[in-house]
Amino acid sequence: MNWVILFFILLGITGILLLFYGIKDKTLALMLFGIGALIAPIFYYTDLAFLMPMIPAVVMLILYLEQKKSNAD
C-alpha cells in the first residue's frame, strides 16, 4: 500500500472524529480542523485544492446556524 494513501486514510478518519467532537461540543477549532482534515484528501485527489481557504468560512457558517438552532429551543 502506498504511504500517501495510508496517510490520507488516517487523516480522513481523524477528520471524522474531530468533526463529531466539534459538533458535539460546539467548538469552532475542532470543527475547523476536523473538516480540514476530512476534506484535504478529497480536494487533493480531485484537483480542487484551491478551495481549501473556503473551509474556515464554511465552518463558521455551520457553527452560526447550529448556535442559532440551539438558542431557539
Side-chain angles (χ1 to χ4, degrees), residues 25-47:
D25 295 339
K26 294 185 176 89
T27 307
L28 179 63
L30 284 176
M31 289 178 64
L32 176 66
F33 292 129
I35 291 175
L38 183 62
I39 297 295
I42 296 169
F43 282 172
Y44 178 76
Y45 282 114
T46 58
D47 294 330

Side-chain angles (χ1 to χ4, degrees), residues 7-44:
F7 173 72
F8 280 145
I9 289 171
L10 290 175
L11 191 65
I13 292 169
T14 304
I16 290 171
L17 292 175
L18 287 174
L19 180 62
F20 283 138
Y21 284 127
I23 290 172
K24 186 179 93 173
D25 295 339
K26 294 185 176 89
T27 307
L28 179 63
L30 284 176
M31 289 178 64
L32 176 66
F33 292 129
I35 291 175
L38 183 62
I39 297 295
I42 296 169
F43 282 172
Y44 178 76

